[in-house]
Amino acid sequence: MIRVLFVCLGNICRSPMAEAVFRDLIQNEGLAGKIEVDSAGTGNWHIGEPPHRGTRKKLDEVKIDYSIIKARQISVSDLDQFDYVIAMDEKNLIDIHAIAQENPTAYIARLLDFVKHNPSKDVPDPYFTGNFDLTYDLVKEGCEHLLAFIREREQI
Ligand code: 4NP
C-alpha cells in the first residue's frame, strides 16, 4: 500500500480538501486498493473538527465526499508511516522538516511542486482569503499531477 498524507496549518481548509479530491481521483482510476490517503495539520487548534464550512460547501458543489474527515495534528511517526507527505505551502514544508528525523523515509514536497507551469508553489490559505474556489482549482490540478507522478514513480 502506498500512503499519502496532505498537510496544511489547521487541517480544516486545504489539506482535507486535497484528501477528499485525491481519494476521489484514486477511486475513479481504480487505485483504491493501492493508495491510501489522509491529512493532518501542523497546528492543534481544530483537532477532531470536520472540514471548514467553505471546504464543505465547495466539495458539496463538486459532489466529492468528505464525511469521514476529522482534523488531527501531524506527528513525528507520520514521517515514517507515510510514503508521500505533501505540504500546501512553504511554511508547512518548513514545519514538516523541523519535526522530521534526519533522513525521513517519506518523500516530502509541496503540492504545487508537481505543477510545472505554476509560478507560485503555495496554495493560498482560504481561512484568510475566503477564496475556496481558487483553493479547489489549485488543489485539483496539484492532485492530478501528483497522482501522475506517483503512478510513474511506483509503476502502478
Ligand atoms: P488550513 O487553514 O491550514 O488550510 O486548514 C487554516 C485553518 C485554521 C487556521 C489557520 C489556517 N487557524 O489559525 O485556526
Side-chain angles (χ1 to χ4, degrees), residues 57-75:
K57 180 165 175 277
K58 187 68 204 181
L59 291 174
D60 283 338
E61 190 184 308
V62 295
K63 299 189 166 45
I64 293 180
D65 182 49
Y66 53 82
S67 54
I68 64 164
I69 301 178
K70 291 257 176 302
R72 72 172 180 90
Q73 189 174 26
I74 191 170
S75 66

Side-chain angles (χ1 to χ4, degrees), residues 8-16 45-46 125-128:
C8 64
L9 179 58
N11 193 212
I12 53 169
C13 297
R14 294 165 296 173
S15 63
W45 313 284
H46 300 283
D125 195 336
Y127 189 78
F128 301 110

Side-chain angles (χ1 to χ4, degrees), residues 108-122:
I108 301 170
R110 277 177 302 185
L111 182 62
L112 298 184
D113 288 337
F114 300 95
V115 183
K116 296 301 170 221
H117 63 81
N118 204 324
S120 169
K121 301 300 179 193
D122 290 343

